[in-house]
Structures are given as C-alpha cells and as structure tokens.
C-alpha cells in the first residue's frame, strides 16, 4: 500500500513539478531544491489524519565524481516509510537515440502453487522508441490488463508500475534492458491483489514476487523462417483446475503454423501473431468436453513461449517448448 510511482520535471533554477501516484491517486506536488540539492514537501490527504512528508535529494555526481543524474528520497506516512528513486531521462530521437529502440515481448513467471496465486505466465509487448519512451501493453495471468507509458533511464532501466483492481493493487519493479545471450529485459516484479469479494479467482488476494524476462522481437522476414529454434515441440498445460497436467505434441511448420500432433487424443488450436509475437488458441482437457482458451507470447531468445489459461477458481499455465 505504500508503493507508488514518481515523475518530476526540473528547471535550471532548481524548481520542480512532480506527480506522485499512491494508493490509487495521482497527486501533484511542486517546489524548489535548496543549494545542497535537498527539498521537502507535504502531501495533505483529507481522508487521512496524517499527511505524507516527501523528502527529496537531487544528485549530480557520486563519490567518484561520476555523473549520476538522479533523485533519491523518502515518503514518510506516519506509520510507514517508502524509499524513492528517480533517474534522469536523457534520450532524444535525433541527438541521443536510445540503443534499446525496438520491439520486445515480456513474460512474467507465475506462482508454483496455482491455489495460492496465478500459476500462469503474464505476458505483454513492449515498444521502445528512439527517444527512450516505453509503451507496454500486457495481460496478467488472472486476465487483468496492464498498460503503461513511461521513459527509460540512461542506464536502460524501466520503472514498471501499474495500478490494479481499482487502485487497491499494483504491479511494480525496476526492469533492466541489456543485450544478453538469454534475454534482453530482466528484473523482479511485485504483483499485489487485495482481498475482493467480487470475481471468481483469488478472492482472498495475494502478493506474488515474480521474475520478468523479455526478448527483442523481430517479425520473420520470410515464410520459411521459424521464430523459435525448433520444429517439433510440446504445448504443456498445468493449473487451472486441470488434474493431472497434460501436454500435446506439436509441430511448427513454415509460416510458424502450429500443428497438433495429438489430434486423436484431444483438440488443440494455436496460432502465432507474427506482427507481435503473441499467440493464442483453445485446448480440450483430455477425457472431457471441457475446452479452455489460452494466450501468451513467445520468448525468442529463450526458445519458448509462455502464457496462461483460466480455470473455475484458479489460473493455469501454458508452455510452448521443444520436445525433450
């Protein structure tokens, strides 16, 4: 409940105007930094007895005289304290293009226990423009939509934050862009849902610490180029009140068409959206007439696809991977 999101604009004379997103509200504040880079502000909330004190410190250099260009600080709420970190936006479309420019897919791991929190993989698509502006459009593994527009820091850090469930929950974490052998985006995310009487999934709420991983995505240039590194694989399904878990053997043909090799056992349809790297379809649980829709996204560098499907009262996972 003490977590939030902070943006600020500063002037060459030390003035600042900022917005603090906290507890479902966007609160504007403004002021001026002192000569030592410090600033104090107060957020008055009529619905609460205690105001929030905001302590800010503007940093230009670290102890080794390296340029850091950041703001640190604290929010003091009476019975809680929240740390604050903000990094300067330095990229420009023509004079300082962001090296992270491009399209990506992002996957967020679920809980190992589907009765405790969503077991499936949340997913989304990420677009970074030449000015370092990030646009994210995703779906969490309980079906909740999560979108954000923000800015990368000069170190390639993305402050992911989304208000969820009417402001009572959130998903937040610092994600880093780096061109590595296995991924291009990495970081930890905290996903929180409060107890809600409405809905059918996880009405008691949950707090899910999860790892996020993303991959740069480029649509295939020709019909014969496969997005994943295998043609024979499996679509595995677990959670979502499925007992026992099961998998379907699949083949990925030219044009990235997914073919069900277990059609005699159960029905499976799956289609990959070449423009975005997302995928979706339906699967019949073996031995039943129960058909479940699923969706997700490919992780090209990781050579797999991940996503989710929803059961009667719990979330499940779909994993598209190479055959063992």
């Amino acid at each position: 409940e003490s977590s939030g999101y902070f943006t600020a604009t500063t002037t060459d004379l030390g003035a600042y105007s900022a917005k603090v997103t906290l507890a479902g509200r966007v609160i504007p504040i403004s002021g001026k930094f002192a000569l030592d880079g410090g600033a104090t502000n107060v957020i008055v909330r009529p619905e609460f007895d205690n105001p929030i004190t905001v302590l800010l410190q503007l940093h230009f250099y670290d102890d080794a005289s390296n340029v850091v260009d950041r703001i640190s600080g604290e929010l003091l709420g009476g019975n809680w304290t929240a740390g604050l970190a903000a990094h300067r936006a330095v990229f420009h479309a023509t004079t300082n293009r962001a090296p992270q420019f491009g399209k990506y897919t992002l996957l967020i791991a679920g809980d190992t226990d589907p009765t405790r929190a969503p077991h499936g993989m949340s997913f989304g698509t990420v677009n970074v423009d030449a000015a370092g502006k990030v646009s994210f459009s995703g779906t969490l593994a309980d079906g909740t939509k999560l979108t954000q527009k923000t800015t990368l820091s000069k170190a390639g850090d993305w402050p992911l934050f989304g208000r969820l469930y009417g402001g009572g929950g959130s998903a937040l974490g610092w994600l880093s862009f780096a061109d590595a052998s296995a991924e291009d985006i990495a970081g930890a995310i905290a996903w929180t849902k409060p107890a809600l009487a409405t809905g059918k999934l996880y009405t008691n709420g949950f707090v899910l610490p999860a790892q996020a991983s993303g991959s740069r995505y480029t649509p295939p240039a020709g019909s014969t180029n496969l997005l994943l590194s295998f043609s024979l694989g499996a679509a595995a399904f677990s959670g979502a009140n499925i007992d026992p878990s099961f998998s379907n053997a699949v083949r990925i043909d030219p044009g990235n068409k997914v073919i069900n090799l277990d059609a005699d056992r159960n029905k499976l349809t799956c289609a990959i959206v070449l423009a975005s790297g997302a995928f979706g379809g339906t699967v019949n649980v073996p031995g039943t007439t129960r058909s479940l829709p699923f969706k997700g996204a490919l992780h090209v560098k990781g050579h797999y696809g991940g996503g989710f499907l929803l059961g009667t009262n719990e979330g499940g996972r779909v994993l598209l991977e190479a055959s063992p």
Side-chain angles (χ1 to χ4, degrees):
E1 292 140 352
S2 62
S3 299
Y5 182 74
F6 173 88
T7 61
T9 300
T10 60
T11 73
D12 56 356
L13 295 180
Y16 70 88
S17 58
K19 292 181 180 180
V20 181
T21 302
L22 186 68
R25 293 177 54 199
V26 179
I27 306 164
I29 60 173
S30 60
K32 191 171 184 177
F33 290 101
L35 292 178
D36 64 357
T40 302
N41 214 311
V42 175
I43 297 174
V44 177
R45 300 182 296 171
E47 67 273 29
F48 295 98
D49 293 333
N50 294 327
I52 298 174
T53 300
V54 182
L55 305 178
L56 302 177
Q57 182 65 46
L58 188 62
H59 303 270
F60 295 107
Y61 305 97
D62 62 15
D63 294 338
S65 298
N66 298 311
V67 178
V68 292
D69 285 340
R70 63 183 176 89
I71 296 173
S72 66
E74 287 184 319
L75 275 67
L76 310 177
N79 61 348
W80 56 265
T81 300
L84 181 149
H87 298 269
R88 189 176 180 185
V90 301
F91 295 118
H92 188 277
T94 55
T95 61
N96 186 24
R97 289 170 60 89
Q100 298 84 4
F101 171 78
K103 295 182 178 181
Y104 303 79
T105 55
L106 184 74
L107 293 174
I108 304 171
D111 201 306
T112 56
D113 182 356
T115 66
R116 183 172 53 199
H119 176 57
M121 303 186 79
S122 306
F123 71 95
T125 56
V126 185
N127 184 71
V128 181
D129 70 13
K133 303 295 184 181
V134 181
S135 296
F136 174 65
S137 178
T139 306
L140 298 177
D142 65 349
T144 301
K145 298 294 184 181
L146 174 61
T147 61
Q148 186 194 24
K149 290 186 177 181
T150 186
T151 309
L152 286 183
S153 76
K154 66 179 180 181
D157 294 324
W158 165 18
L160 173 65
F161 178 81
R163 292 186 294 166
L164 306 172
Y165 315 110
S170 64
L172 68 144
W174 281 99
L175 303 185
S176 297
F177 281 76
D179 184 4
S181 59
E183 59 190 0
D184 295 300
I185 306 174
I189 290 176
W191 174 14
T192 303
K193 178 180 181 178
L196 296 171
T198 58
K200 65 178 183 178
L201 300 177
Y202 307 105
T203 54
N204 292 328
F206 57 80
V207 176
L208 177 60
Q211 194 68 24
S213 179
S215 173
R216 189 178 286 274
Y217 182 79
T218 303
S223 61
T224 60
N225 294 333
L226 297 183
L227 288 166
L228 298 176
S229 60
F230 59 88
S231 58
L232 292 178
F237 300 90
S238 57
N241 305 106
I242 298 171
D243 189 20
S245 303
F246 70 94
S247 63
N248 275 53
V250 297
R251 184 180 72 242
I252 303 180
D253 283 353
N256 291 279
K257 296 180 180 179
V258 182
I259 308 300
N260 181 21
L261 299 181
D262 284 329
D264 58 337
R265 183 166 65 97
N266 68 304
K267 184 178 179 180
L268 167 71
T269 64
C270 181
I272 298 172
V273 182
L274 300 183
S276 65
F279 68 86
T282 60
V283 65
N284 275 53
V285 179
T288 74
T289 58
R290 182 182 173 200
S291 179
L292 296 175
F294 61 86
K295 51 188 173 181
L298 303 182
H299 192 300
V300 175
K301 275 196 171 180
H303 311 298
Y304 69 94
F308 71 91
L309 64 167
L310 301 178
T312 55
N313 64 353
E314 66 181 35
R317 185 181 69 181
V318 53
L319 188 62
L320 184 62
E321 57 186 349
S323 298

